[in-house]
Amino acid sequence: MEKILIAGANGTTGKKIVDLLATSQYFTPVAMVRKEEQIKQFEEKKIETVLADLEQDLSHAFSAIDKVIFAAGSGGKKVKEVDQEGAKKLIKESEKNNIKKFVMLSSMGADAPEQAEDLQEYLKAKQNADEYLKKSNIPFSIVRPGSLTNDEAKGKIKLSKKLQERGEISRADVAQTLVRVLHDSAQINKTFEIIEGDTLIGKAIPN
């Protein structure tokens, strides 16, 4: 079983990722949380946690970690500090620890922030973090979903390096996609966009 560090484990998508990994036959989750009071909910499910802040030292969070999922977000409050610099700090630490794969939850529009009508600062931060990851020596997958919803998982997506349309996708399906690309050869060193679609996630992303 590979140990997966989830940055942003307390977020809406992060919690879904942790739950999926907790039932996986390949992976076991380590929930990275920022506040002491966020630990209990995971401990009750017997999920390992680590207290670490993306704005602080992260070296202690990497004990026996094999792979990393970055699903953290500042919610627009500290875009540069968390979404950009926090991600870069996690990537740097991953390099030091010879992490086998880094899965980045990015956003559709991060390839051209200047064209966005809103959220330009956020998309620019995501773009900078994505570019930093691409230049690292860590095998990676960068996942760029459309607008996130809290709908039920459909288990089906539309995936392309560049989709020629906007669209929505549930956080549940994004979580499934992120877990799917943890496999070594799945979408290795690729950046791709996803929205709700007709292709089963397992088919859209062969291992």
Side-chain angles (χ1 to χ4, degrees), residues 69-85:
I69 293 181
F70 183 89
S74 64
K77 293 183 195 77
K78 286 187 165 185
V79 170
K80 201 160 186 191
E81 294 88 339
V82 174
D83 300 274
Q84 179 178 302
E85 295 308 313

Side-chain angles (χ1 to χ4, degrees), residues 20-34:
L20 286 171
L21 291 173
T23 60
S24 166
Q25 55 184 342
Y26 305 105
F27 310 115
T28 181
V30 178
M32 181 176 136
V33 294
R34 201 164 48 92

Side-chain angles (χ1 to χ4, degrees), residues 67-156:
K67 293 174 181 172
V68 172
I69 293 181
F70 183 89
S74 64
K77 293 183 195 77
K78 286 187 165 185
V79 170
K80 201 160 186 191
E81 294 88 339
V82 174
D83 300 274
Q84 179 178 302
E85 295 308 313
K88 284 161 94 167
K89 195 180 275 194
L90 199 70
I91 293 162
K92 208 176 281 182
E93 210 55 59
S94 297
E95 269 191 307
K96 279 189 209 161
N97 287 276
N98 298 314
I99 292 304
K100 291 190 229 162
K101 194 169 196 183
F102 192 108
V103 176
M104 174 75 88
L105 173 55
S106 183
S107 174
M108 205 182 260
D111 57 334
E114 63 287 347
Q115 290 174 19
E117 287 166 31
D118 50 13
L119 297 174
Q120 282 197 3
E121 189 192 4
Y122 168 72
L123 291 171
K124 184 71 190 158
K126 295 306 282 181
Q127 182 186 51
N128 290 340
D130 291 354
E131 289 306 315
Y132 190 84
L133 177 57
K134 286 179 194 173
K135 290 186 183 118
S136 75
N137 60 17
I138 314 166
F140 69 85
S141 295
I142 297 170
V143 184
R144 292 177 169 166
S147 305
L148 300 177
T149 72
N150 290 319
D151 295 345
E152 293 287 308
K154 299 206 168 52
K156 292 181 178 180

Side-chain angles (χ1 to χ4, degrees), residues 26-27 67 101 179-186 188 207:
Y26 305 105
F27 310 115
K67 293 174 181 172
K101 194 169 196 183
V179 169
R180 183 75 185 175
V181 294
L182 278 171
H183 293 281
D184 289 335
S185 57
I188 191 79
N207 280 354

